[in-house]
Amino acid sequence: MANTKLIPYLTFENTKNALEYYKRVFGATDVNRQPPTEKQADEMALNPDVDLDNLTFKASFKVLGQQVFCTDSFMGKPVVSSLISLMLEVDQRDSDAESDLEALFKQVAESEEVKVIMTFEKKSSGNKYGQVVDKYGITWIFNAVK
């Protein structure tokens, strides 16, 4: 299964706004967004008077070089769940990666647009670990492992 990937794919009520949030708070890069075409809107039975430019059929962004895909919820309002978390993990032997992870945690935590669950600091295991929940209810884990 060497060609298999597990890719985060998030659903938002308004992905267009979510992308702006992730750019501002998480420093998201490589942001791409594609509204549905008229044919796709018809296939999804969207109201004909809906403004397609405000909808997102598919989108993606990167945080610390890791790609996340996302879309609007076309099946009703998305439900927030604490069952899914996204973890950004680096090896402490890579001092640049560890510094980047720590800087991102600091940026995110200082934005005051997340709830800090655990500050990013060294734990008894020797790993550095921190955790936040963003405004969409998504838990982000920052983990620098020995």
Side-chain angles (χ1 to χ4, degrees):
M1 298 286 170
N3 290 330
T4 303
K5 295 180 183 179
L6 182 63
I7 300 171
Y9 205 107
L10 308 175
T11 303
F12 299 102
E13 193 168 356
N14 185 322
T15 300
K16 195 173 184 179
N17 288 346
L19 292 170
E20 291 304 315
Y21 170 79
Y22 288 112
K23 283 194 295 189
R24 183 178 67 254
V25 176
F26 285 76
T29 61
D30 301 319
V31 177
N32 295 296
R33 189 182 76 81
Q34 180 183 66
T37 64
E38 287 184 22
K39 181 179 179 188
Q40 290 165 332
D42 187 50
E43 290 169 354
M44 291 185 286
L46 299 178
N47 290 334
D49 62 340
V50 70
D51 182 0
L52 296 180
D53 191 49
N54 285 325
L55 299 178
T56 302
F57 185 68
K58 65 180 178 178
S60 65
F61 61 93
K62 289 184 179 180
V63 174
L64 289 183
Q66 300 304 304
Q67 192 162 33
V68 177
F69 287 85
C70 51
T71 188
D72 279 349
S73 173
F74 292 101
M75 302 297 191
K77 189 172 181 167
V79 178
V80 175
S81 171
S82 62
L83 296 175
I84 297 174
S85 301
L86 301 178
M87 183 186 307
L88 294 166
E89 184 174 275
V90 300
D91 188 321
Q92 288 181 9
R93 293 173 292 196
D94 183 340
S95 60
D96 289 341
E98 184 179 1
S99 293
D100 290 347
L101 185 67
E102 189 165 1
L104 178 60
F105 183 89
K106 184 177 179 185
Q107 171 187 323
V108 168
E110 289 177 354
S111 75
E112 298 182 3
E113 294 189 66
V114 300
K115 179 179 180 183
V116 176
I117 303 300
M118 191 176 298
T119 58
F120 186 77
E121 57 190 43
K122 195 171 202 170
K123 305 301 179 200
S124 59
S125 64
N127 295 348
K128 287 185 179 176
Y129 182 91
Q131 189 173 333
V132 302
V133 176
D134 71 22
K135 80 178 219 173
Y136 296 100
I138 297 167
T139 301
W140 291 78
I141 299 168
F142 297 74
N143 195 23
V145 297
K146 287 178 79 175

PDB file of all heavy atoms in Angstrom, residues 101-126:
ATOM      1  N   LEU A 101       7.525  24.718  13.873  1.00  0.00           N
ATOM      2  CA  LEU A 101       6.345  24.245  14.585  1.00  0.00           C
ATOM      3  C   LEU A 101       6.063  25.109  15.807  1.00  0.00           C
ATOM      4  O   LEU A 101       4.933  25.509  16.061  1.00  0.00           O
ATOM      5  CB  LEU A 101       6.530  22.777  14.995  1.00  0.00           C
ATOM      6  CG  LEU A 101       5.325  22.110  15.659  1.00  0.00           C
ATOM      7  CD1 LEU A 101       4.179  21.960  14.660  1.00  0.00           C
ATOM      8  CD2 LEU A 101       5.720  20.748  16.221  1.00  0.00           C
ATOM      9  N   GLU A 102       7.110  25.406  16.563  1.00  0.00           N
ATOM     10  CA  GLU A 102       6.952  26.241  17.760  1.00  0.00           C
ATOM     11  C   GLU A 102       6.491  27.651  17.395  1.00  0.00           C
ATOM     12  O   GLU A 102       5.621  28.223  18.051  1.00  0.00           O
ATOM     13  CB  GLU A 102       8.261  26.286  18.541  1.00  0.00           C
ATOM     14  CG  GLU A 102       8.122  26.933  19.898  1.00  0.00           C
ATOM     15  CD  GLU A 102       9.316  26.660  20.809  1.00  0.00           C
ATOM     16  OE1 GLU A 102      10.279  25.987  20.387  1.00  0.00           O
ATOM     17  OE2 GLU A 102       9.255  27.125  21.958  1.00  0.00           O
ATOM     18  N   ALA A 103       7.046  28.209  16.327  1.00  0.00           N
ATOM     19  CA  ALA A 103       6.649  29.557  15.883  1.00  0.00           C
ATOM     20  C   ALA A 103       5.188  29.567  15.435  1.00  0.00           C
ATOM     21  O   ALA A 103       4.451  30.514  15.729  1.00  0.00           O
ATOM     22  CB  ALA A 103       7.560  30.026  14.752  1.00  0.00           C
ATOM     23  N   LEU A 104       4.769  28.509  14.746  1.00  0.00           N
ATOM     24  CA  LEU A 104       3.369  28.435  14.317  1.00  0.00           C
ATOM     25  C   LEU A 104       2.449  28.340  15.529  1.00  0.00           C
ATOM     26  O   LEU A 104       1.432  29.032  15.594  1.00  0.00           O
ATOM     27  CB  LEU A 104       3.142  27.255  13.381  1.00  0.00           C
ATOM     28  CG  LEU A 104       1.690  27.073  12.930  1.00  0.00           C
ATOM     29  CD1 LEU A 104       1.182  28.301  12.179  1.00  0.00           C
ATOM     30  CD2 LEU A 104       1.551  25.822  12.083  1.00  0.00           C
ATOM     31  N   PHE A 105       2.805  27.502  16.502  1.00  0.00           N
ATOM     32  CA  PHE A 105       1.970  27.400  17.704  1.00  0.00           C
ATOM     33  C   PHE A 105       1.834  28.763  18.369  1.00  0.00           C
ATOM     34  O   PHE A 105       0.741  29.181  18.743  1.00  0.00           O
ATOM     35  CB  PHE A 105       2.523  26.384  18.705  1.00  0.00           C
ATOM     36  CG  PHE A 105       1.620  26.222  19.896  1.00  0.00           C
ATOM     37  CD1 PHE A 105       0.603  25.294  19.881  1.00  0.00           C
ATOM     38  CD2 PHE A 105       1.754  27.034  21.022  1.00  0.00           C
ATOM     39  CE1 PHE A 105      -0.263  25.159  20.962  1.00  0.00           C
ATOM     40  CE2 PHE A 105       0.903  26.919  22.105  1.00  0.00           C
ATOM     41  CZ  PHE A 105      -0.115  25.975  22.074  1.00  0.00           C
ATOM     42  N   LYS A 106       2.953  29.474  18.507  1.00  0.00           N
ATOM     43  CA  LYS A 106       2.925  30.791  19.146  1.00  0.00           C
ATOM     44  C   LYS A 106       2.025  31.751  18.361  1.00  0.00           C
ATOM     45  O   LYS A 106       1.210  32.465  18.946  1.00  0.00           O
ATOM     46  CB  LYS A 106       4.351  31.341  19.237  1.00  0.00           C
ATOM     47  CG  LYS A 106       4.448  32.660  19.960  1.00  0.00           C
ATOM     48  CD  LYS A 106       5.889  33.130  20.081  1.00  0.00           C
ATOM     49  CE  LYS A 106       5.913  34.474  20.796  1.00  0.00           C
ATOM     50  NZ  LYS A 106       7.247  35.042  20.847  1.00  0.00           N
ATOM     51  N   GLN A 107       2.159  31.756  17.040  1.00  0.00           N
ATOM     52  CA  GLN A 107       1.347  32.624  16.187  1.00  0.00           C
ATOM     53  C   GLN A 107      -0.144  32.324  16.359  1.00  0.00           C
ATOM     54  O   GLN A 107      -0.962  33.226  16.524  1.00  0.00           O
ATOM     55  CB  GLN A 107       1.747  32.427  14.723  1.00  0.00           C
ATOM     56  CG  GLN A 107       0.844  33.108  13.710  1.00  0.00           C
ATOM     57  CD  GLN A 107       1.212  32.730  12.287  1.00  0.00           C
ATOM     58  OE1 GLN A 107       2.386  32.578  11.961  1.00  0.00           O
ATOM     59  NE2 GLN A 107       0.223  32.577  11.436  1.00  0.00           N
ATOM     60  N   VAL A 108      -0.474  31.042  16.319  1.00  0.00           N
ATOM     61  CA  VAL A 108      -1.865  30.622  16.430  1.00  0.00           C
ATOM     62  C   VAL A 108      -2.413  30.975  17.809  1.00  0.00           C
ATOM     63  O   VAL A 108      -3.503  31.539  17.944  1.00  0.00           O
ATOM     64  CB  VAL A 108      -1.988  29.104  16.139  1.00  0.00           C
ATOM     65  CG1 VAL A 108      -3.343  28.570  16.518  1.00  0.00           C
ATOM     66  CG2 VAL A 108      -1.674  28.820  14.671  1.00  0.00           C
ATOM     67  N   ALA A 109      -1.663  30.650  18.859  1.00  0.00           N
ATOM     68  CA  ALA A 109      -2.120  30.899  20.233  1.00  0.00           C
ATOM     69  C   ALA A 109      -2.293  32.393  20.505  1.00  0.00           C
ATOM     70  O   ALA A 109      -3.239  32.802  21.174  1.00  0.00           O
ATOM     71  CB  ALA A 109      -1.138  30.290  21.227  1.00  0.00           C
ATOM     72  N   GLU A 110      -1.393  33.211  19.981  1.00  0.00           N
ATOM     73  CA  GLU A 110      -1.469  34.655  20.206  1.00  0.00           C
ATOM     74  C   GLU A 110      -2.550  35.330  19.383  1.00  0.00           C
ATOM     75  O   GLU A 110      -2.906  36.478  19.653  1.00  0.00           O
ATOM     76  CB  GLU A 110      -0.108  35.300  19.935  1.00  0.00           C
ATOM     77  CG  GLU A 110       0.929  34.955  20.987  1.00  0.00           C
ATOM     78  CD  GLU A 110       2.304  35.531  20.703  1.00  0.00           C
ATOM     79  OE1 GLU A 110       2.514  36.118  19.612  1.00  0.00           O
ATOM     80  OE2 GLU A 110       3.176  35.390  21.584  1.00  0.00           O
ATOM     81  N   SER A 111      -3.094  34.640  18.395  1.00  0.00           N
ATOM     82  CA  SER A 111      -4.135  35.236  17.553  1.00  0.00           C
ATOM     83  C   SER A 111      -5.418  35.488  18.334  1.00  0.00           C
ATOM     84  O   SER A 111      -6.243  36.284  17.913  1.00  0.00           O
ATOM     85  CB  SER A 111      -4.451  34.319  16.372  1.00  0.00           C
ATOM     86  OG  SER A 111      -5.218  33.203  16.797  1.00  0.00           O
ATOM     87  N   GLU A 112      -5.608  34.795  19.426  1.00  0.00           N
ATOM     88  CA  GLU A 112      -6.826  34.853  20.234  1.00  0.00           C
ATOM     89  C   GLU A 112      -8.051  34.389  19.457  1.00  0.00           C
ATOM     90  O   GLU A 112      -9.179  34.679  19.818  1.00  0.00           O
ATOM     91  CB  GLU A 112      -7.040  36.254  20.820  1.00  0.00           C
ATOM     92  CG  GLU A 112      -5.917  36.667  21.758  1.00  0.00           C
ATOM     93  CD  GLU A 112      -6.111  38.019  22.400  1.00  0.00           C
ATOM     94  OE1 GLU A 112      -7.159  38.655  22.170  1.00  0.00           O
ATOM     95  OE2 GLU A 112      -5.207  38.431  23.143  1.00  0.00           O
ATOM     96  N   GLU A 113      -7.815  33.646  18.346  1.00  0.00           N
ATOM     97  CA  GLU A 113      -8.910  33.102  17.558  1.00  0.00           C
ATOM     98  C   GLU A 113      -8.963  31.582  17.663  1.00  0.00           C
ATOM     99  O   GLU A 113      -9.600  30.920  16.862  1.00  0.00           O
ATOM    100  CB  GLU A 113      -8.775  33.524  16.099  1.00  0.00           C
ATOM    101  CG  GLU A 113      -8.944  35.033  15.912  1.00  0.00           C
ATOM    102  CD  GLU A 113      -9.030  35.423  14.465  1.00  0.00           C
ATOM    103  OE1 GLU A 113     -10.026  35.039  13.818  1.00  0.00           O
ATOM    104  OE2 GLU A 113      -8.112  36.103  13.979  1.00  0.00           O
ATOM    105  N   VAL A 114      -8.273  31.042  18.672  1.00  0.00           N
ATOM    106  CA  VAL A 114      -8.311  29.621  18.990  1.00  0.00           C
ATOM    107  C   VAL A 114      -8.435  29.489  20.499  1.00  0.00           C
ATOM    108  O   VAL A 114      -8.180  30.443  21.237  1.00  0.00           O
ATOM    109  CB  VAL A 114      -7.025  28.878  18.519  1.00  0.00           C
ATOM    110  CG1 VAL A 114      -6.831  28.985  17.024  1.00  0.00           C
ATOM    111  CG2 VAL A 114      -5.801  29.347  19.273  1.00  0.00           C
ATOM    112  N   LYS A 115      -8.803  28.309  20.936  1.00  0.00           N
ATOM    113  CA  LYS A 115      -8.794  28.000  22.363  1.00  0.00           C
ATOM    114  C   LYS A 115      -7.579  27.128  22.614  1.00  0.00           C
ATOM    115  O   LYS A 115      -7.457  26.038  22.039  1.00  0.00           O
ATOM    116  CB  LYS A 115     -10.070  27.256  22.753  1.00  0.00           C
ATOM    117  CG  LYS A 115     -10.123  26.886  24.220  1.00  0.00           C
ATOM    118  CD  LYS A 115     -11.415  26.174  24.559  1.00  0.00           C
ATOM    119  CE  LYS A 115     -11.424  25.832  26.029  1.00  0.00           C
ATOM    120  NZ  LYS A 115     -12.636  25.084  26.394  1.00  0.00           N
ATOM    121  N   VAL A 116      -6.668  27.601  23.431  1.00  0.00           N
ATOM    122  CA  VAL A 116      -5.482  26.821  23.762  1.00  0.00           C
ATOM    123  C   VAL A 116      -5.868  25.785  24.810  1.00  0.00           C
ATOM    124  O   VAL A 116      -6.325  26.128  25.898  1.00  0.00           O
ATOM    125  CB  VAL A 116      -4.332  27.721  24.273  1.00  0.00           C
ATOM    126  CG1 VAL A 116      -3.133  26.873  24.697  1.00  0.00           C
ATOM    127  CG2 VAL A 116      -3.928  28.736  23.208  1.00  0.00           C
ATOM    128  N   ILE A 117      -5.694  24.533  24.459  1.00  0.00           N
ATOM    129  CA  ILE A 117      -6.013  23.423  25.366  1.00  0.00           C
ATOM    130  C   ILE A 117      -4.778  23.073  26.190  1.00  0.00           C
ATOM    131  O   ILE A 117      -4.870  22.799  27.379  1.00  0.00           O
ATOM    132  CB  ILE A 117      -6.490  22.180  24.585  1.00  0.00           C
ATOM    133  CG1 ILE A 117      -7.698  22.518  23.702  1.00  0.00           C
ATOM    134  CG2 ILE A 117      -6.787  21.018  25.506  1.00  0.00           C
ATOM    135  CD1 ILE A 117      -8.901  23.031  24.446  1.00  0.00           C
ATOM    136  N   MET A 118      -3.618  23.091  25.519  1.00  0.00           N
ATOM    137  CA  MET A 118      -2.363  22.764  26.185  1.00  0.00           C
ATOM    138  C   MET A 118      -1.262  23.595  25.521  1.00  0.00           C
ATOM    139  O   MET A 118      -1.140  23.598  24.305  1.00  0.00           O
ATOM    140  CB  MET A 118      -2.069  21.268  26.027  1.00  0.00           C
ATOM    141  CG  MET A 118      -0.948  20.763  26.872  1.00  0.00           C
ATOM    142  SD  MET A 118      -0.743  18.960  26.707  1.00  0.00           S
ATOM    143  CE  MET A 118      -2.302  18.367  27.326  1.00  0.00           C
ATOM    144  N   THR A 119      -0.487  24.304  26.335  1.00  0.00           N
ATOM    145  CA  THR A 119       0.597  25.110  25.778  1.00  0.00           C
ATOM    146  C   THR A 119       1.683  24.203  25.206  1.00  0.00           C
ATOM    147  O   THR A 119       1.857  23.071  25.641  1.00  0.00           O
ATOM    148  CB  THR A 119       1.207  26.050  26.839  1.00  0.00           C
ATOM    149  OG1 THR A 119       1.686  25.266  27.925  1.00  0.00           O
ATOM    150  CG2 THR A 119       0.183  27.059  27.323  1.00  0.00           C
ATOM    151  N   PHE A 120       2.405  24.725  24.220  1.00  0.00           N
ATOM    152  CA  PHE A 120       3.466  23.957  23.561  1.00  0.00           C
ATOM    153  C   PHE A 120       4.702  24.007  24.437  1.00  0.00           C
ATOM    154  O   PHE A 120       5.365  25.039  24.553  1.00  0.00           O
ATOM    155  CB  PHE A 120       3.754  24.549  22.172  1.00  0.00           C
ATOM    156  CG  PHE A 120       4.724  23.749  21.360  1.00  0.00           C
ATOM    157  CD1 PHE A 120       4.319  22.584  20.735  1.00  0.00           C
ATOM    158  CD2 PHE A 120       6.036  24.157  21.209  1.00  0.00           C
ATOM    159  CE1 PHE A 120       5.194  21.835  19.968  1.00  0.00           C
ATOM    160  CE2 PHE A 120       6.928  23.423  20.442  1.00  0.00           C
ATOM    161  CZ  PHE A 120       6.510  22.262  19.823  1.00  0.00           C
ATOM    162  N   GLU A 121       4.977  22.888  25.085  1.00  0.00           N
ATOM    163  CA  GLU A 121       6.147  22.818  25.962  1.00  0.00           C
ATOM    164  C   GLU A 121       6.589  21.377  26.112  1.00  0.00           C
ATOM    165  O   GLU A 121       5.863  20.449  25.745  1.00  0.00           O
ATOM    166  CB  GLU A 121       5.846  23.436  27.325  1.00  0.00           C
ATOM    167  CG  GLU A 121       4.685  22.814  28.041  1.00  0.00           C
ATOM    168  CD  GLU A 121       4.276  23.610  29.277  1.00  0.00           C
ATOM    169  OE1 GLU A 121       4.222  24.839  29.232  1.00  0.00           O
ATOM    170  OE2 GLU A 121       4.015  22.954  30.295  1.00  0.00           O
ATOM    171  N   LYS A 122       7.772  21.211  26.667  1.00  0.00           N
ATOM    172  CA  LYS A 122       8.343  19.871  26.859  1.00  0.00           C
ATOM    173  C   LYS A 122       7.535  19.129  27.921  1.00  0.00           C
ATOM    174  O   LYS A 122       7.241  19.658  28.996  1.00  0.00           O
ATOM    175  CB  LYS A 122       9.806  19.984  27.275  1.00  0.00           C
ATOM    176  CG  LYS A 122      10.562  18.695  27.159  1.00  0.00           C
ATOM    177  CD  LYS A 122      12.052  18.923  27.372  1.00  0.00           C
ATOM    178  CE  LYS A 122      12.830  17.805  26.745  1.00  0.00           C
ATOM    179  NZ  LYS A 122      14.255  18.093  26.711  1.00  0.00           N
ATOM    180  N   LYS A 123       7.208  17.884  27.617  1.00  0.00           N
ATOM    181  CA  LYS A 123       6.455  17.029  28.528  1.00  0.00           C
ATOM    182  C   LYS A 123       7.403  15.997  29.142  1.00  0.00           C
ATOM    183  O   LYS A 123       8.562  15.875  28.753  1.00  0.00           O
ATOM    184  CB  LYS A 123       5.314  16.327  27.771  1.00  0.00           C
ATOM    185  CG  LYS A 123       4.383  17.274  27.033  1.00  0.00           C
ATOM    186  CD  LYS A 123       3.717  18.272  27.953  1.00  0.00           C
ATOM    187  CE  LYS A 123       2.828  19.207  27.162  1.00  0.00           C
ATOM    188  NZ  LYS A 123       2.508  20.429  27.819  1.00  0.00           N
ATOM    189  N   SER A 124       6.904  15.221  30.084  1.00  0.00           N
ATOM    190  CA  SER A 124       7.751  14.238  30.775  1.00  0.00           C
ATOM    191  C   SER A 124       8.337  13.196  29.821  1.00  0.00           C
ATOM    192  O   SER A 124       9.385  12.615  30.094  1.00  0.00           O
ATOM    193  CB  SER A 124       6.956  13.539  31.883  1.00  0.00           C
ATOM    194  OG  SER A 124       5.830  12.882  31.338  1.00  0.00           O
ATOM    195  N   SER A 125       7.677  12.978  28.694  1.00  0.00           N
ATOM    196  CA  SER A 125       8.171  12.025  27.696  1.00  0.00           C
ATOM    197  C   SER A 125       9.395  12.550  26.944  1.00  0.00           C
ATOM    198  O   SER A 125      10.071  11.800  26.251  1.00  0.00           O
ATOM    199  CB  SER A 125       7.072  11.737  26.673  1.00  0.00           C
ATOM    200  OG  SER A 125       6.768  12.932  25.951  1.00  0.00           O
ATOM    201  N   GLY A 126       9.658  13.856  27.079  1.00  0.00           N
ATOM    202  CA  GLY A 126      10.737  14.483  26.321  1.00  0.00           C
ATOM    203  C   GLY A 126      10.248  15.129  25.039  1.00  0.00           C
ATOM    204  O   GLY A 126      10.956  15.908  24.409  1.00  0.00           O
TER     205      GLY A 126
END
